[in-house]
Amino acid sequence: MIELRALRKVFGDTVALEEIDLSVPAGEIHGIVGRSGAGKSTLIRCLTGLESPTSGTVSIDGVDLTGQSGSGLREARRSIGMVFQHVNLLDSRTALNNVAHPLQIAGVGKAERLDKARELLEIVGLGDRVDNYPAQLSGGQKQRVGIARALAAEPKVLLCDEPTSALDASTTDQILGLIRSLRDRLGITVLIITHEMSVVREICDSVTLLADGRVAKTGRLAEVIAEPGSALAKDLVPLPPVSIDDSANRLVEVSLAGTDLPTVLTTAQKAGVSAEAILAGAVETIEGRQIGRLRFTVDSADEAQGLITALKADGIYAEEAA
């Protein structure tokens, strides 16, 4: 459904995107993550045709956006619905008329566009709010209106740019649940740009990490998280912050990918390290698989190396942490 091939974007002497290859199948929810300056914003603009790539291609549902202009580009953009972080609703219009607005621009008759807007507001759970203005809606309700508006043209792809970063935890869960249910109900493909790893864990089937304008890692979520030592895996399943009183102590991090907690504890005990040495742990269930990490504290470099050697001998990934 979404195909990026050798995508490159240069602004003057600055390379914003370099050799981006990405394929997102129809009906999948894919997350794009990366730190500030990684190239996420530029990627969004290339995906929507607001920026022309320096080289490479962007294809949506088999249509190459980079080969379109004028009316052709406008028609191609109809296959993309956009959900923004700050929603950008028109304050002077009701929820109904905000959703109907893109259909009005497209020349759809008044009765038809209002019927369609009512249907979409029902789908997102706001059938009783059609006459409310944005000032009368909560943050989550505004985002639901924004999602309904993005679906007005019946797009094949829903592109969400930081859709939950301005929402509280409870409302975030509701919006993510809505996006998932819309994918299941309508069969749309969803691309979520976010810096919130919890969003990726909660909803995404696959994920791509951008770093310095390049794809640093991409793959199915469970596979990426399960990769021992991966920086992205550590970000997706973070350990809670801990402090140790003795700066002479050494920390050893262990991946539970491909093994289970009892096996790790048995091996550690054989190396002379008990379960009481665990400072922190995190476990997530992704696609039916338990993925997690542990952090042990030991008294010396020799003890740390002994634990790491024992774990690795049993096929368990471990490393000394800074």
Side-chain angles (χ1 to χ4, degrees), residues 292-312:
R293 296 163 57 216
L294 299 174
R295 180 175 290 157
F296 287 85
T297 178
V298 294
D299 295 330
S300 67
D302 287 343
E303 193 173 359
Q305 189 55 53
L307 176 58
I308 292 170
T309 299
L311 290 167
K312 287 185 174 180

Side-chain angles (χ1 to χ4, degrees), residues 11-26:
F11 297 98
D13 295 329
T14 302
V15 179
L17 297 174
E18 183 69 83
E19 294 297 316
I20 302 292
D21 288 319
L22 178 64
S23 179
V24 182

Side-chain angles (χ1 to χ4, degrees), residues 11-52:
F11 297 98
D13 295 329
T14 302
V15 179
L17 297 174
E18 183 69 83
E19 294 297 316
I20 302 292
D21 288 319
L22 178 64
S23 179
V24 182
E28 187 160 288
I29 301 178
H30 188 88
I32 303 286
V33 298
R35 301 185 187 280
S36 178
K40 301 191 301 297
S41 297
T42 303
L43 182 62
I44 292 172
R45 294 181 66 81
C46 289
L47 279 166
T48 55
L50 296 175
E51 289 284 356
S52 297

Side-chain angles (χ1 to χ4, degrees), residues 209 217 223-237 253-257 291-294 312 316-320:
L209 171 65
K217 191 70 183 178
E223 295 171 358
V224 169
I225 289 180
E227 184 173 325
S230 163
L232 181 54
K234 292 179 180 180
D235 285 343
L236 285 167
V237 186
E253 287 196 6
V254 180
S255 170
L256 297 181
I291 307 294
R293 296 163 57 216
L294 299 174
K312 287 185 174 180
I316 301 167
Y317 182 88
E319 63 180 3
E320 188 166 357

